[in-house]
Each structure stands twice: as structure tokens, then as C-alpha cells.
Amino acid sequence: MVDFHARHGGRAGGFPLVQSALWIYIAAEGRYPVFRFFEGLVDPYIPYEEADQPPTKLFPFLREYARPFRRVFWLTGIASVVIAAVEVWLIFYLGRLVDTLSANRVSEFWVRNGTELILVAIFILTFRPLLHIFQVALLNNAILPNFGTLVRWRAHRHVLRQSVGWFEDDFAGRIANRIMQTPPAAGEVVFQLFDAITFAIAYLIGAAFLLAEADVRLMVPMLMWLLPYLILLRWVVRKIGSASEVASNARSAVTGRVVDSYTNIHAVKMFAHHNQELGYAKEAIEEARRTFQIEMRYYTIMDIALMLLNGFLIVGVTGWAIKLWIDGSASVGVVAAASTLALRLNAMSGWVMWAFTNFFRQLGVVAEGMKTIAQPVTLLDGNDAKPLVLSHGVVEIRDVSHHYGRDTGGLDHINLTMKAGEKVGLVGQSGAGKSTLVKLLLRFYDVEQGDILIDDQSIAGVTQDSLRRAIGMVQQDSSLLHRSVRENILYGNPTATDPEVIAAAKKAEAHDFILGLEDSEGNKGYDARVGERGVKLSGGQRQRITLARVMLKDAPILLLDEATSALDSEAEAIIQKTLYGMMEGKTVIAIAHRLSTIAQMDRIIVMERGRVIEDGTHDGLLALGGQYAKFWARQSGGFLGQL
């Protein structure tokens, strides 16, 4: 972020004393409605039409986010231009004042010019600070907090709409970093545009008019300075813009690797890979340092070149003005105004170039963030998608093939029908396609061939939310949200009451251990936080809370993916009874390696290499003497042996 000096130090010496005192007083009295007025000019959460395909070009992308701010942007831009005009006029008036002092005797000066001086003083003490306050309030209170919030809110909404597969292809840390760094960068782009760039352009035009008004020849040294200044600016902007995007991408890679280590800290410690993780992070950190070094080299070149150019500006404009005075073509006031203007341009030139480079630097950050934020949402509800209407819970899988865009793996021409209320077990070695089948049923991916129907409704033609509300799932990886136990269980049904939450926890054999929980902040029982992904709990405790969440959801279709794998034998026996009770009246699909957990199912389906090779009851498959019978015979400790 830009520091205060960089934000405000470039303009005509900063705020005058009275203006600063007034602004500080208003800021200290934050309850005053003036803040609420400016802060309420734009609602960052204003309803908008979500785009499945956001603009992929930088400026159309920013323009889309800026739509609610159009009126405020116009006001801010106009205020910047007026402020620049006022600052140039003050330099013009300084020259006029010097000429007036030179042309009048002391005894006559006040009589002739007193009224004018009083009016100018009133203007400087009232209108000028009020104009600054108006523009600063628009920038600092109406635009910056709301624009960054709007970008972050809409970006987060867009990313949450992405499919599970999209998230599986990237680092969660890198995605989060881009969501966090893009809004402040976009805010800086807007800030520099109105606080520096608009002001600087207006000031430069005003300075040219001022010099031309005094003597058109004074524009010669200014134009001789301006041309190489613009060439330098163009070179720096091009170099820093591209270097900044590379550096920003490198910083995101660092975040992704660091967060990956933190998220999997148990594995890091368990395998004693502390040094390996340091080396993995160091590669990215060193790359970030290298790219940042390149970026900063351009800033150094800019500063050196600017110092040389500004020396020419001061000597050229001031020296030329003195020559005109010697020749009798200019007054002392013209020399004073020209010299003051040259010194102001000298002071501003570094600020302006820094503002331009920072503007394009932040554009580079936004461009890097767009690699995540502007990606299209590919897994969509159809235009005529309707909510799923569940009448019985019949699941049909018709000639489904899905290989994740590859030639092998996944599913190959699967045809299955699960009757309403039927309990079906899925068995097969790793890679047989069981998890793929479940993901397709939840529509985490669109099937590449075939169709899946629930009660004669294709899941591709219903809304994703209604489909997933109709399905409860307990996964083998029972990760939880970093929130309280109550909030985690309520995720199954946010409208449930506390007694219903407790009843679900009791059914899942979780109530007793929940009452004994306490987190580092002193929250106890159902209010205790469980840590990221539930790391503060044991695997069995996490699984029981997950079961309680699904029980509270009470969905008519139930998917179980090794639902009791994290439980000990005694707890599993108790939970199995609860699960069988919960299955009543539901269509159930259960994946299991521990065959004893599905032996009582109505049907057992055996999969191999993406195909169904056996389908029947437990006793029937044993009598068949096929793959299931081999699994049963070779099972050791409840797990499938390898063939």
C-alpha cells in the first residue's frame, strides 16, 4: 500500500494548516454523519448479474467492477482537475503579488490591494480546504473501502461457483492469495488514477498555459524537459508493469507452497520432512526475491534519470526567465512564478512518475489475480434448469463413461439402477471408479457420455444446489470447517434448533465428548472451535461430528464413503446401528473396503477398471465364487487384499 507521504506529499506542499486541523478533527469525531454520507454513496454488495465468463481483458474487467462507482468517479475526477487548476492559479497569483509589491509604495499598497488580499486569503482558508476535503473524502471514504470490498466480494462469489475439479487443479493458498491481493491492488489503481494521474495531467496543462501567458518562450525549456520525461515514463511503465506481474505471480507461488505445508503440517511432522519443506519453500522465496530485484532495478534507473532531467528543468526554466527579465521582456513576478513552477514540477515529477509506475504495477497485480478471478465457470446450471423434485429416490445410471478428459481411468459404460429405498454397497480396489461414480452423482463433474437420473430427472437439467440438498454424504476424509462444533453440525441444516443439533450429536455418539471440548480461547462444548479441517479432534471425533451433520440434514439419498473407517471397533458397532436406523426409507450407496460394513446391504456391486463386473447380494456373490468371494476370502483386518 502507498504510504501517506506518497499519497499526499506530491501536491502543492500537502494540506494547509487549517485544512489539516479541520480534517483531523473530523476524523477524530468519527461519529459525525459526514463519514456515513460518503461511505454510503456506493453499496459494495449491490445486486448484479453474475457472469459465467468474466471479461478476460484487463480494462474491461476493471470497468465491469467499476459500474456502481461511475457517478463517484466523475465527481472525484472533476475535483482533481479543479484542485490542480487552483494550485496553478496560486503560483500565477504569487507572480502577480510580486509585481504588485514592486509597483506600489508601502504606504499605498494596502489601500489599493487590501480588499483583494482579504478575498484571496478567505479563498485559501475556506474554499481550497473544503475542495480538498471533498476530494479526499470521495477517495478515502467513498471509493477505497467500498471498491476493494466490491472486488473481493464479487471475486469470492465467482470462485465459489467453480467446480470441485477446478479447485483440485490449483493450490488453495494461491487462490486465496489472489482473492486477497487483487482488491487492494485494484483500489490502488483507482486511487492513483484520481489522486495523482488526473491531477498531474491537469496541473501540467495548467502550467503550460501559465508559462505561455507570461511569455510563450518559457514553454521551450519545459517542452524540452517534457519529451524525454515522457519517454522515460513510457520505458519505466513498460518494464515495471511486466516485471510487477512476474513478481506478483512469484509471491503467489510462495503463498501457495507455504500454505500447502501448513495445511499438511501433520504429514510434514510425521515424515520428519522439515528441511524438505524449507527447501521447497526456499525455491519459491528465492524466485520471488529474484523477480523483485529485477523490478527494483527499474526504479533505481528511473530515480537517477529523473534527477538529471529535473536539473535541466530548473536551470532551463529559471535561467530563461531571468534572461527575459534582463532583456526587459519579463517582470520580476514572471521570474518568481516561473521559478516556483519549475521547483513544483521538480518536486512533483518523482511523485507523478512513481504514481504512474505504481498504477501500472498494481495493474500487473490485478492481471495476475485475473488468472483466478476471471476464469470462466464451466460447470453450470442449464438456462431452463429447475429444482429437483424428489418423489421416490430412484437413481439410474445410463451408459455413463467418464475419463476426466483422458483415454483411460474413470468409468466405462456403466449401467445401474438403484431402486427407491434400496441399500447398495460399492466394492472394488483403488482406481476401480467408485469415487468417480459418487462425484458424478453429486455433479462435481459433468459426465462425458451417458446420463444420470434421479426419479426420471436428468441431474444435468436440475439446479446443482437442489441436487446436493437431496443428497447426504459422509466422506472418508472427514474434514471440518474451522468453526465451532455447533456451526459444523448446523452445516447440515442451518435452520435446526439447538435441541435438534444435540439430538443428532447423540445419535452419532458425539454428544459426550463434545461436552468435554475446550479451545484456546476458552470456548467450551458446542461452542469450541475445532481448528482448521478439524485438526484439534481425533479422526474418530471428526467422523462422528460429520455423521451428526449428515443426520441433521436428513437427505433422502445417502452416500457413504468409508463412513466408519476412522472409528474403533466398539464405536463402529454402535455407529453402525445408528447408520442402519438413519438409512431407513433412504436410497443408500455405500463405498467400503471393510466388507463387514456392507454385508447386510440389499445389493453389492463390484467394480473393476471402471466397469461393473458383479452385482448381487452378499450370499449370492459368495456362492458365485467370483471377485467378491476372493475379496471376502483374502480380507485381512477388514481390508481388501491385492490381487
Side-chain angles (χ1 to χ4, degrees):
M1 292 294 283
V2 188
D3 61 26
F4 182 84
H5 175 75
R7 284 181 183 268
H8 299 293
R11 289 190 180 175
F15 297 151
L17 180 61
V18 174
Q19 177 186 347
S20 298
L22 178 61
W23 185 249
I24 291 170
Y25 172 73
I26 293 175
E29 297 294 323
R31 65 180 181 274
Y32 276 29
V34 64
F35 275 113
R36 291 194 295 273
F37 170 77
F38 284 101
E39 290 163 356
L41 286 177
V42 180
D43 178 9
Y45 306 108
I46 188 172
Y48 67 100
E49 185 176 348
E50 291 182 317
D52 300 326
Q53 173 64 72
T56 55
K57 300 293 184 181
L58 183 59
F59 286 103
F61 174 82
L62 287 172
R63 187 170 59 245
E64 192 65 32
Y65 281 103
R67 288 184 187 278
F69 291 84
R70 283 179 176 175
R71 181 167 59 94
V72 175
F73 283 175
W74 272 107
L75 287 173
T76 309
I78 292 170
S80 293
V81 171
V82 174
I83 289 172
V86 168
E87 299 304 321
V88 173
W89 176 83
L90 285 175
I91 293 177
F92 165 80
Y93 189 77
L94 174 64
R96 169 183 164 79
L97 183 60
V98 170
D99 284 337
T100 302
L101 288 168
S102 303
N104 288 274
R105 289 181 293 181
V106 175
S107 59
E108 298 174 345
F109 177 77
W110 185 255
V111 175
R112 293 182 178 181
N113 302 284
T115 302
E116 177 186 314
L117 290 173
I118 291 172
L119 291 175
V120 171
I122 292 173
F123 172 83
I124 293 173
L125 293 173
T126 56
F127 177 77
R128 182 170 177 261
L130 287 174
L131 182 61
H132 274 274
I133 289 173
F134 177 70
Q135 199 252 5
V136 167
L138 285 173
L139 267 176
N140 290 353
N141 301 100
I143 294 177
L144 283 183
N146 291 323
F147 189 69
T149 299
L150 181 142
V151 173
R152 183 171 287 121
W153 167 245
R154 294 191 179 186
H156 181 54
R157 284 191 63 171
H158 181 76
V159 167
L160 276 182
R161 294 178 63 220
Q162 296 287 5
S163 67
V164 169
W166 183 88
F167 282 95
E168 291 174 347
D169 289 336
D170 206 343
F171 282 120
R174 180 160 61 183
I175 295 172
N177 185 59
R178 286 173 173 170
I179 293 296
M180 294 307 296
Q181 74 176 4
T182 301
E188 281 299 314
V189 167
V190 173
F191 184 91
Q192 297 302 340
L193 179 63
F194 293 114
D195 184 68
I197 297 174
T198 304
F199 174 85
I201 292 172
Y203 193 95
L204 194 61
I205 293 172
F209 274 108
L210 174 60
L211 292 175
E213 180 69 21
D215 191 306
V216 71
R217 289 172 292 180
L218 286 172
M219 291 184 62
V220 174
M222 178 181 166
L223 292 175
M224 291 178 65
W225 165 84
L226 182 61
L227 181 60
Y229 179 82
L230 293 177
I231 293 173
L232 175 64
L233 178 61
R234 182 173 180 271
W235 180 84
V236 169
V237 162
R238 288 176 60 189
K239 292 294 185 180
I240 290 181
S242 58
S244 173
E245 184 173 351
V246 173
S248 177
N249 193 37
R251 289 192 296 271
S252 290
V254 172
T255 303
R257 292 193 178 194
V258 169
V259 171
D260 190 40
S261 296
Y262 296 163
T263 303
N264 296 283
I265 192 63
H266 285 85
V268 173
K269 298 294 185 182
M270 183 172 60
F271 288 96
H273 282 329
H274 176 268
N275 291 334
Q276 181 174 319
E277 287 304 304
L278 284 177
Y280 182 63
K282 185 179 179 180
E283 290 178 2
I285 292 171
E286 178 57 25
E287 178 63 14
R289 182 176 79 106
R290 188 189 66 80
T291 57
F292 188 55
Q293 284 175 333
I294 294 173
E295 184 181 355
M296 296 313 294
R297 289 171 190 169
Y298 297 130
Y299 278 107
T300 302
I301 294 171
M302 177 192 78
D303 285 341
I304 294 171
L306 195 58
M307 181 63 66
L308 297 173
L309 278 176
N310 285 344
F312 173 81
L313 173 69
I314 296 170
V315 172
V317 173
T318 305
W320 196 263
I322 292 172
K323 182 181 184 302
L324 293 175
W325 173 74
I326 292 172
D327 294 341
S329 301
S331 66
V332 175
V334 169
V335 175
S339 302
T340 304
L341 187 62
L343 291 172
R344 282 295 301 126
L345 288 174
N346 169 72
M348 282 179 53
S349 61
W351 169 67
V352 170
M353 187 165 287
W354 183 91
F356 267 96
T357 53
N358 190 53
F359 174 80
F360 284 96
R361 183 175 183 269
Q362 298 302 333
L363 281 179
V365 176
V366 174
E368 196 265 338
M370 284 176 61
K371 294 176 182 177
T372 290
I373 298 172
Q375 286 191 23
V377 178
T378 55
L379 189 64
L380 299 167
D381 291 337
N383 293 329
D384 56 349
K386 298 177 181 178
L388 175 68
V389 179
L390 229 108
S391 53
H392 299 91
V394 177
V395 178
E396 296 179 75
I397 299 170
R398 297 180 180 175
D399 195 32
V400 168
S401 293
H402 188 86
H403 305 292
Y404 299 100
R406 302 187 299 267
D407 295 330
T408 58
L411 301 178
D412 191 19
H413 297 288
I414 294 288
N415 286 281
L416 286 171
T417 298
M418 291 83 165
K419 300 176 183 177
E422 190 173 30
K423 283 69 177 171
V424 178
L426 284 181
V427 176
Q429 293 181 334
S430 296
K434 306 183 298 298
S435 295
T436 297
L437 185 62
V438 169
K439 289 179 179 180
L440 293 178
L441 182 57
L442 287 162
R443 205 181 165 213
F444 287 164
Y445 298 87
D446 276 327
V447 296
E448 295 171 354
Q449 178 185 322
D451 201 4
I452 298 176
L453 298 92
I454 297 178
D455 287 341
D456 294 322
Q457 300 162 82
S458 171
I459 64 171
V462 301
T463 62
Q464 296 176 61
D465 286 347
S466 67
L467 169 67
R468 292 163 192 159
R469 277 194 292 265
I471 300 173
M473 183 171 183
V474 182
Q475 297 173 284
Q476 184 177 10
D477 178 18
S478 54
S479 61
L480 301 175
L481 300 163
H482 184 22
R483 301 170 196 176
S484 69
V485 173
R486 178 182 287 101
E487 288 172 301
N488 272 283
I489 297 176
L490 278 172
Y491 222 69
N493 180 9
T495 62
T497 63
D498 265 4
E500 289 172 327
V501 169
I502 293 172
K506 287 181 176 178
K507 289 179 182 178
E509 298 292 324
H511 179 69
D512 291 339
F513 83 77
I514 289 173
L515 293 180
L517 295 177
E518 182 176 358
D519 62 26
S520 59
E521 298 174 358
N523 299 309
K524 298 180 180 180
Y526 284 86
D527 294 320
R529 291 181 174 271
V530 300
E532 187 174 5
R533 299 174 63 85
V535 295
K536 294 183 179 180
L537 306 179
S538 69
Q541 289 173 328
R542 289 198 302 272
Q543 194 75 317
R544 294 184 200 193
I545 291 177
T546 302
L547 286 168
R549 182 166 63 191
V550 175
M551 289 175 179
L552 192 64
K553 184 176 183 180
D554 195 25
I557 297 174
L558 186 60
L559 304 180
L560 304 174
D561 185 358
E562 292 293 328
T564 59
S565 61
L567 303 176
D568 56 58
S569 299
E570 184 178 352
E572 180 187 7
I574 298 172
I575 294 296
Q576 281 287 9
K577 294 180 181 178
T578 303
L579 281 174
Y580 278 110
M582 187 175 72
M583 292 178 192
E584 287 300 318
K586 302 181 189 300
T587 303
V588 180
I589 301 174
I591 297 174
H593 285 124
R594 198 178 299 177
L595 300 184
S596 59
T597 62
I598 60 168
Q600 302 302 314
M601 293 286 183
D602 299 327
R603 289 167 62 196
I604 296 173
I605 295 168
V606 183
M607 298 184 66
E608 183 178 274
R609 297 181 181 178
R611 291 179 175 271
V612 174
I613 59 171
E614 295 177 11
D615 185 351
T617 64
H618 171 73
D619 292 335
L621 292 178
L622 288 181
L624 185 65
Q627 189 75 292
Y628 181 79
K630 292 179 182 178
F631 286 159
W632 186 264
R634 295 184 180 185
Q635 195 172 73
S636 175
F639 293 96
L640 297 184
Q642 296 296 316
L643 297 180

